[in-house]
Amino acid sequence: MATETPPPSKTPSRLPTSEEFVAVQESAEFGELRGAYRGFAFPLTFAFIAWYLLYVLLSNYAGDFMGTKVFGNFNVAMTLGLAQFLTTFLIAWWYARTAAAKFDPKADAIKSRMESGE
């Protein structure tokens, strides 16, 4: 598996001080990064948990509905259960793609500035 991340450097990088960490944490750039991450991750997490709980509640309280045949031996419960796996993989793929495009470049810029002492 190829990655774009270079191998670790042989020379140790400079460790930022506690004050530098606090300054970066309070910066507008870091706040923007944190807000973008939360704006993506929190709604998706909430939506997936609601989707999962709906499946569990339907399984417990709507047995006749969940037993309805969709095609062949596949019923609604099997279809929704397989959809749980599909949505899990789609969310993971979407997050990886979004993180690589939006979050990682901003985080890398902050990290490199902190390690260089700027």
Side-chain angles (χ1 to χ4, degrees):
M1 175 186 207
T3 64
E4 296 178 15
T5 306
S9 166
K10 298 290 182 195
T11 59
S13 61
R14 175 190 165 285
L15 292 177
T17 65
S18 299
E19 292 80 18
E20 289 172 321
F21 275 111
V22 171
V24 167
Q25 183 182 4
E26 293 172 350
S27 71
E29 184 182 22
F30 186 77
E32 180 183 318
L33 174 60
R34 184 175 45 218
Y37 171 76
R38 288 178 178 174
F40 181 85
F42 287 1
L44 266 179
T45 301
F46 177 77
F48 186 79
I49 290 172
W51 160 230
Y52 176 75
L53 289 176
L54 174 67
Y55 177 74
V56 170
L57 291 172
L58 286 173
S59 294
N60 282 320
Y61 299 110
D64 292 337
F65 169 70
M66 295 294 270
T68 304
K69 298 270 187 194
V70 175
F71 62 90
N73 286 330
F74 277 91
N75 58 17
V76 173
M78 179 66 77
T79 305
L80 293 179
L82 291 173
Q84 291 281 321
F85 287 102
L86 178 63
T87 55
T88 300
F89 290 114
L90 286 175
I91 289 171
W93 170 79
W94 188 18
Y95 174 78
R97 191 170 164 198
T98 302
K102 294 182 180 179
F103 309 143
D104 292 349
K106 292 177 184 179
D108 289 342
I110 292 170
K111 179 183 174 199
S112 64
R113 271 198 309 281
M114 287 189 74
E115 288 177 346
S116 68
E118 293 178 18

